[in-house]
Amino acid sequence: MTSMGETDVLDAERAEEIKLLANEAFKANKFSQAIELYSQAIELNGLNAVYWANRAFAHTKLEEYGSAVQDATKAIEIDPKYSKGYYRRGAAYLAMGKFKEALKDFQQVKRISPNDPDATKKLKECEKAVQKLRFEEAIAVHESEKRSIADAIDFRSIDVEPQYNGARIEGDTVTLDFLKKMMDDFKNQKCLHKRYAYQIVLQTREMLRAMPSLVDITVSDGDHFTVCGDVHGQYFDLLNIFEINGFPSQENPYLFNGDFVDRGSFSLEVILTLFAFKCMCPSAIYLARGNHESKSMNKIYGFEGEVRSKLSDTFVELFAEVFCCLPLAHVINNKVFVVHGGLFSVDGVKLSQIREIDRFCEPPEEGLMCELLWSDPQPQLGRGPSKRGWAFLLVQM
C-alpha cells in the first residue's frame, strides 16, 4: 500500500509527465489536445500554477478568451508572484479589446519581471490603447447628437479619373454586368474606384436602416433558400460558393449569417461584393450581423487596417456605421430562427423582444443583443459561461 504522501508524490510526477505531453501537443498546434492534457495534469495536481497558465495559453490560441482569463486568474490565485499568470490574462483581455484590464495585468508583469521585453511591448500597446480610449470617452457625444458620417459624403461629386479601367456603375443602378466585372477585378487584386465603393455602401445603408432587427423571410413551397456561415474575408471561398450554388438572385436567394470580415486578407472585397448584390436585388440576399461586424473586433482582427490601406479613414467610419444597421436575426417561414450567435442566458425570450431591440449601436457587453451575436453551443446540457468571454455557452434542449 502507498501512503497519502506517496500518492501525492506519484500524482505530481504523473502530472508533470502529462504536462510535457501537453507541451508537445501545443508545439504541434494541437491546441484542443493540449487543453485536454493540461486538464488531466490539473486533475492530478491542481496547485501547480504553470498548468493553469499553460492551459490559458492554449485557450487563447483557440480564441477562447473567457476560459483563458479564468485559467490565468486561477494561476495568479495559486502564485501571486507568477508573472506568466498576469501575462496570459493580460493577453486574453487584450484580444477581447478590454484594454484597461489588460493594462493592469501588464503593469503587474512589469513589476515582477522588469526586463521582460515582450511585457514591455505589450504594456506600451495597452497604454496607447487606453490613452486613446480615454480621449474618445472625453470627447464622446450622445448617440442622438452624433452626426452620421454617411450624411457628409456626396459620392456623385467624386470624379473618376480617365485612366481608371475598372468596373463602373452607370447612374444609380447596380447591374449583374457591373458585379461580374467588379468580381473579376477583385480576383486580379484590382481596386474598385472609391466613388463606386461609396455608392454601394451608402445604398446598402439606406436599405438596412429601413429593415427591422428581426427580419421575416418567406420561402414558397418547392423553392430553395441558402444560408451561409462565416466568410471572414475569404474572397475566393465566396467565389466558390457562387460557382457551386449560383449567384444570388430572386430565384436563388441567400442569407449570409454574419462575420463577413476580419482574419482573411480580402474582407473589403467580400463585403463590397455582398453589399453590391444587395443593391442589385434586395430580395436576392439577406445579411445578418455577426460579432465581427463591430469596431472592437475590426480593430483587433484586421478589417480596420485593411480598409484604411485600401481605401481611407472615412471608409473605416462608414463601415462601422453601416454594420450597426445590420439586422440581428431572421425567421424563415415562421419556423426557422437564424442567428449568428445563439440563445439566451434567461428563459422566455420572445421574438417580439428581439424585434424591439434598438440595434443601431456597437454591441453591448451583456443583454439580448450581445447574446444574439456571441453565444456559442456547448456539449453539456444547460447554460455555462462563454469560453470566449462574451455572452453564454448554450445547448439546444
Side-chain angles (χ1 to χ4, degrees):
M1 282 182 65
T2 56
S3 67
M4 284 299 293
E6 288 172 330
T7 301
D8 290 345
V9 170
L10 289 171
D11 283 351
E13 288 175 352
R14 179 62 184 144
E16 195 61 21
E17 289 170 7
I18 294 171
K19 182 203 83 170
L20 295 176
L21 293 174
N23 290 352
E24 290 302 315
F26 186 96
K27 287 174 191 171
N29 295 327
K30 297 176 180 177
F31 303 119
S32 294
Q33 185 183 341
I35 288 169
E36 192 177 317
L37 289 165
Y38 287 131
S39 299
Q40 290 176 26
I42 288 167
E43 283 287 320
L44 292 166
N45 182 11
L47 295 178
N48 190 317
V50 174
Y51 303 163
W52 292 95
N54 284 8
R55 193 171 75 174
F57 195 17
H59 278 304
T60 300
K61 290 291 186 179
L62 293 176
E63 299 184 15
E64 297 171 351
Y65 303 120
S67 295
V69 167
Q70 288 178 341
D71 280 356
T73 300
K74 184 66 178 177
I76 293 164
E77 288 171 2
I78 293 167
D79 184 358
K81 293 183 179 178
Y82 183 46
S83 64
K84 273 194 180 173
Y86 296 100
Y87 188 96
R88 299 295 180 225
R89 190 170 69 179
Y93 279 139
L94 195 60
M96 292 163 71
K98 296 188 174 184
F99 301 115
K100 291 178 183 177
E101 292 90 337
L103 178 61
K104 291 177 186 175
D105 280 334
F106 288 119
Q107 285 171 337
Q108 189 63 22
V109 176
K110 189 71 174 167
R111 288 188 199 103
I112 299 169
S113 307
N115 298 319
D116 185 332
D118 235 8
T120 303
K121 183 181 173 185
K122 285 280 197 298
L123 182 59
K124 286 180 180 174
E125 189 181 333
C126 284
E127 286 172 341
K128 190 176 176 182
V130 169
Q131 191 176 15
K132 185 180 178 186
L133 204 61
R134 284 175 179 154
F135 175 74
E136 288 172 350
E137 286 170 356
I139 63 168
V141 294
H142 192 270
E143 288 290 331
S144 61
E145 298 171 14
K146 280 185 181 177
R147 184 164 181 251
S148 165
I149 188 72
D151 294 340
I153 300 166
D154 178 12
F155 68 85
R156 291 181 178 83
S157 68
I158 300 172
D159 293 327
V160 180
E161 300 79 10
Q163 64 268 29
Y164 174 73
N165 62 358
R168 293 171 181 261
I169 301 172
E170 301 299 332
D172 293 332
T173 307
V174 173
T175 64
L176 184 58
D177 285 341
F178 161 79
L179 257 158
K180 287 178 178 177
K181 168 65 174 162
M182 181 186 75
M183 292 166 71
D184 201 47
D185 286 347
F186 286 163
K187 266 169 69 175
N188 296 307
Q189 298 191 33
K190 292 181 182 177
C191 293
L192 180 68
H193 195 281
K194 65 180 181 180
R195 182 198 193 283
Y196 306 121
Y198 274 131
Q199 184 171 348
I200 288 167
V201 178
L202 290 170
Q203 285 184 8
T204 304
R205 173 181 173 270
E206 288 308 303
M207 283 184 277
L208 295 175
R209 282 177 74 199
M211 299 178 79
S213 292
L214 177 65
V215 177
D216 289 289
I217 300 170
T218 301
V219 181
S220 301
D221 287 346
D223 290 349
H224 66 274
F225 187 87
T226 303
V227 180
C228 294
D230 306 8
V231 181
H232 271 312
Q234 301 294 338
Y235 182 64
F236 291 92
D237 287 357
L238 181 64
L239 293 184
N240 281 337
I241 290 170
F242 292 153
E243 188 174 331
I244 293 166
N245 200 57
F247 286 140
S249 67
Q250 194 118 25
E251 298 74 34
N252 189 35
Y254 284 78
L255 164 55
F256 281 85
N257 195 30
D259 280 12
F260 319 121
V261 302
D262 284 335
R263 295 201 180 100
S265 302
F266 303 101
S267 292
L268 180 63
E269 287 79 1
V270 166
I271 199 67
L272 285 177
T273 300
L274 295 177
F275 280 6
F277 271 112
K278 187 71 179 171
C279 292
M280 183 191 78
C281 181
S283 60
I285 190 166
Y286 296 86
L287 302 168
R289 192 172 192 176
N291 58 296
H292 276 265
E293 279 68 57
S294 68
K295 280 184 183 178
S296 59
M297 292 294 105
N298 296 162
K299 190 182 293 291
I300 296 165
Y301 290 97
F303 183 59
E304 182 181 302
E306 182 185 336
V307 172
R308 187 171 282 119
S309 67
K310 291 178 180 177
L311 289 171
S312 67
D313 284 347
T314 304
F315 271 99
V316 172
E317 291 183 59
L318 181 59
F319 275 115
E321 190 175 296
V322 177
F323 287 165
C324 291
C325 301
L326 286 161
L328 302 176
H330 293 76
V331 172
I332 303 172
N333 285 357
N334 293 316
K335 291 180 180 178
V336 183
F337 179 65
V338 186
V339 64
H340 179 77
L343 302 179
F344 309 100
S345 56
V346 294
D347 291 332
V349 175
K350 297 180 172 61
L351 294 180
S352 59
Q353 291 173 260
I354 299 171
R355 293 185 207 282
E356 291 165 6
I357 294 173
D358 182 2
R359 71 183 188 277
F360 299 98
C361 61
E362 288 301 310
E365 292 192 11
E366 59 184 10
L368 294 186
M369 180 172 170
C370 172
E371 291 168 5
L372 283 164
L373 300 180
W374 277 97
S375 289
D376 286 321
Q378 67 176 10
Q380 305 93 334
L381 291 176
R383 299 178 174 93
S386 170
K387 290 182 178 181
R388 297 198 290 176
W390 299 87
F392 279 76
L393 283 162
L394 297 149
V395 66
Q396 292 185 5
M397 306 294 282

